[in-house]
């Protein structure tokens, strides 16, 4: 699939020559098993556009500390490695792209502090993610509020032009632009303004058990029918998809289908790369059981090579450690340059 399948909103200012490859950065929190929504909304977009950009992909483990009650050190360590391995298994080429763990590059929390100082409290308090997550917790740490400053640091340290994410993250890219603009205004031109890179269709995959909520890692932990994990076995995948919530009926046109069916159709569209007209023709008048069976087959077929690569990566002794050390070194070299520039500008 090409870039034409993704929405490219306004570009940041051109920072050098026309021939320079633009920079992409994205990240995932290691808060649990990655699911089909993460793959469709984020990872697959990274992979499809990989050769056009200079890419950095980070495992945002410091972000995972913003809900400290949910953290178990051994689990966090395990999940961080699992997420990095899944990046590669999904098709990120570690030679071509830089894969690293956020905490291995100390410039991230350093810049986050400086950016946090430039971020008005009102901007942080307005964030949807903050409002939802703080409403669910009895006590909240200031890190949860300051989350966007750390995410802005992730992006701005590499002067990223594009941030490929699912739809739920667009507000975070907007605040990153605002923070960058405010820093530039206060201290001098330093950061280009990044833009989200979002799939035209499939940027918000809904839960199989409830098509009114976004498929999410945290919900999946307590509701087995909610998501398909990228490492689920074929039987589990089939079971979850066959039980997906759909209202009675047999409408399988994208524009008329009810949310549960639309979700299945969109998943089929992204994974098969077939045009909508062909998909509508294939499923017309066949009933939802047929759609679910075909989608389950397609998901199993899509995940099979990813799971095989994942097994290879995680069983080859030392491979992942070497790669993450190398990624941290390559990312640090860029991040340190930007941080030096920032320190000069702010006078520290
Ligand atoms: P959590 O429940 O811990 O918040 P999550 O499932 O929402 O996790 P994230 O780690 O927040 O996943 O997201 C990683 C990437 O996957 C982000 O780019 C995010 O926008 C994208 N993403 C997450 N869920 C979906 C979804 N349901 N559909 C499309 N993209 C998604
Ligand atoms: N906040 C994101 C994860 C994340 C991220 C990033 C995404 C951390 N740093 C930098 C894009 C760019 C999330 O919860 N999905």
């Amino acid at each position: 699939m090409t870039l034409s399948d993704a929405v490219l909103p306004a570009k940041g200012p051109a920072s050098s020559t026309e021939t320079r490859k633009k920079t992409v950065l994205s990240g995932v929190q290691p808060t649990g098993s990655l699911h089909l929504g993460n793959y469709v909304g984020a990872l697959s977009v990274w992979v499809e556009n990989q050769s056009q950009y200079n890419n950095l992909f980070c495992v945002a483990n410091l972000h995972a500390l913003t809900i400290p009650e949910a953290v178990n050190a051994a689990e966090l360590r395990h999940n961080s490695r699992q997420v990095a391995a899944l990046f590669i298994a999904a098709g990120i080429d570690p030679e071509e792209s830089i894969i690293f763990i956020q905490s291995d590059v100390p410039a991230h929390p350093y810049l986050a502090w400086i950016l946090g100082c430039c971020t008005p409290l009102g901007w942080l308090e307005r964030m949807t993610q903050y409002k939802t997550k703080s409403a669910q917790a009895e006590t909240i740490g200031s890190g949860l509020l300051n989350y966007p400053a750390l995410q802005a640091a992730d992006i701005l340290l590499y002067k990223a032009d594009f941030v490929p994410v699912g739809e739920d993250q667009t507000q975070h890219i907007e605040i990153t632009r605002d923070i960058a603009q405010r820093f530039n205004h206060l201290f001098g031109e330093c950061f280009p303004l990044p833009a989200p890179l979002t799939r035209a269709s499939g940027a918000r995959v809904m839960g199989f058990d409830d098509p009114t909520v976004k498929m999410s890692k945290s919900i999946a932990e307590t509701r087995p029918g909610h998501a398909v994990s990228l490492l689920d076995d074929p039987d589990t995948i089939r079971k979850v998809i066959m039980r997906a919530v759909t209202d009675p009926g047999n409408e399988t046109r994208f524009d008329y289908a009810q949310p549960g069916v639309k979700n299945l159709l969109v998943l089929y569209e992204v994974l098969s790369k077939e045009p909508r007209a062909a998909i509508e023709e294939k499923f017309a008048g066949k009933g939802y059981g047929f759609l679910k069976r075909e989608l389950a087959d397609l998901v199993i077929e899509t995940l099979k090579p990813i799971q095989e690569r994942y097994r290879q990566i995680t069983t080859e002794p030392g491979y992942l450690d070497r790669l993450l050390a190398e990624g941290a070194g390559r990312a640090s070299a860029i991040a340190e340059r930007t941080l030096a520039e920032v320190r000069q500008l702010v006078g520290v």
Side-chain angles (χ1 to χ4, degrees):
M1 208 180 275
T2 65
L3 243 195
S4 62
D5 296 295
V7 175
L8 275 182
K11 290 184 180 181
S15 50
S16 66
T17 61
E18 286 303 314
T19 51
R20 182 184 75 89
K21 267 193 183 178
K22 301 260 185 195
T23 298
V24 149
L25 178 135
S26 197
V28 174
Q29 293 189 75
T31 42
S33 289
L34 297 196
H35 51 69
L36 209 51
N38 299 132
Y39 178 75
V40 167
L43 266 68
S44 65
V45 181
W46 306 355
V47 173
E48 284 160 19
N49 297 314
Q50 184 169 209
S51 58
Q52 298 179 51
Y53 300 113
N54 293 319
N55 309 281
L56 297 113
F57 299 113
C58 97
V59 178
N61 60 345
L62 295 175
H63 275 113
L65 301 180
T66 55
I67 313 269
E69 295 79 5
V71 176
N72 166 295
E75 237 171 62
L76 180 58
R77 220 169 278 126
H78 168 82
N79 287 346
S80 301
R81 293 169 57 79
Q82 184 184 76
V83 168
L86 277 170
F87 288 179
I88 305 165
I92 298 301
D93 174 354
E95 302 273 312
E96 199 174 339
S97 302
I98 300 176
I99 296 172
F100 67 102
I101 299 208
Q102 188 185 36
S103 62
D104 287 342
V105 183
H108 288 241
Y110 192 143
L111 180 61
W113 172 257
I114 296 173
L115 296 178
C117 292
C118 306
T119 309
L121 204 51
W123 293 4
L124 299 170
E125 285 166 343
R126 274 199 293 276
M127 297 301 288
T128 310
Q129 184 176 300
Y130 170 70
K131 287 196 274 190
T132 316
K133 298 216 166 165
S134 58
Q136 291 162 359
E138 233 170 76
T139 320
I140 52 159
S142 59
L144 186 65
L145 181 67
N146 216 27
Y147 184 114
L150 181 58
Q151 184 161 351
D154 297 343
I155 298 167
L156 299 177
L157 271 176
Y158 305 95
K159 303 194 175 189
D161 301 288
F162 298 117
V163 188
V165 282
E167 193 189 84
D168 61 300
Q169 284 294 305
T170 50
Q171 195 188 23
H172 281 86
I173 314 309
E174 273 161 31
I175 194 175
T176 298
R177 290 170 68 91
D178 293 340
I179 294 171
Q181 232 161 352
R182 186 155 160 79
F183 180 96
N184 290 347
H185 171 72
L186 289 170
F187 294 107
E189 205 55 39
C190 182
F191 301 119
L193 308 185
L197 184 58
T198 312
R199 212 178 252 301
S201 176
R204 187 177 181 82
V205 175
M206 310 310 279
F208 286 121
D209 63 343
D210 179 359
T212 65
V213 301
K214 181 189 85 87
M215 187 179 287
S216 130
K217 276 190 242 120
S218 18
I219 301 179
E221 268 175 24
T222 52
R223 294 194 341 217
H226 177 73
V228 162
S229 150
L230 299 189
L231 296 173
D232 275 346
D233 61 71
D235 283 350
T236 307
I237 296 172
R238 209 177 295 282
K239 215 178 282 165
V240 170
I241 295 179
M242 293 311 292
R243 287 185 189 158
V245 168
T246 50
D247 289 340
N250 65 356
E251 178 59 74
T252 49
R253 286 171 298 174
F254 283 84
D255 291 341
Y256 303 97
Q258 39 93 358
V261 178
K262 173 89 184 269
N263 195 38
L264 303 178
L265 288 167
V266 165
L267 283 170
Y268 192 90
E269 179 190 20
V270 175
L271 300 180
S272 71
K273 301 185 170 87
E274 285 172 25
R276 285 195 167 189
I279 296 170
E280 288 182 344
E281 196 178 326
K282 179 180 173 115
F283 294 116
K286 298 264 176 54
Y288 299 149
F290 179 65
L291 168 60
K292 288 176 175 178
R293 270 195 301 282
E294 290 291 304
L295 177 63
D297 285 345
L298 183 56
V299 170
I300 291 166
E301 198 184 300
T302 306
L303 296 186
K304 195 170 164 224
I306 295 177
Q307 296 178 350
E308 273 166 16
R309 277 198 296 272
Y310 177 81
R311 269 188 289 277
Q312 283 168 2
I313 292 160
T314 50
T315 51
E316 191 179 321
Y319 173 76
L320 195 58
D321 292 322
R322 259 197 319 277
L323 206 139
L324 289 173
E326 198 185 297
R330 289 163 74 194
S332 290
I334 306 169
E336 286 299 331
R337 258 200 322 268
T338 307
L339 189 61
E341 209 181 313
V342 168
R343 292 176 59 178
Q344 177 71 25
L345 283 168
V346 302
V348 293

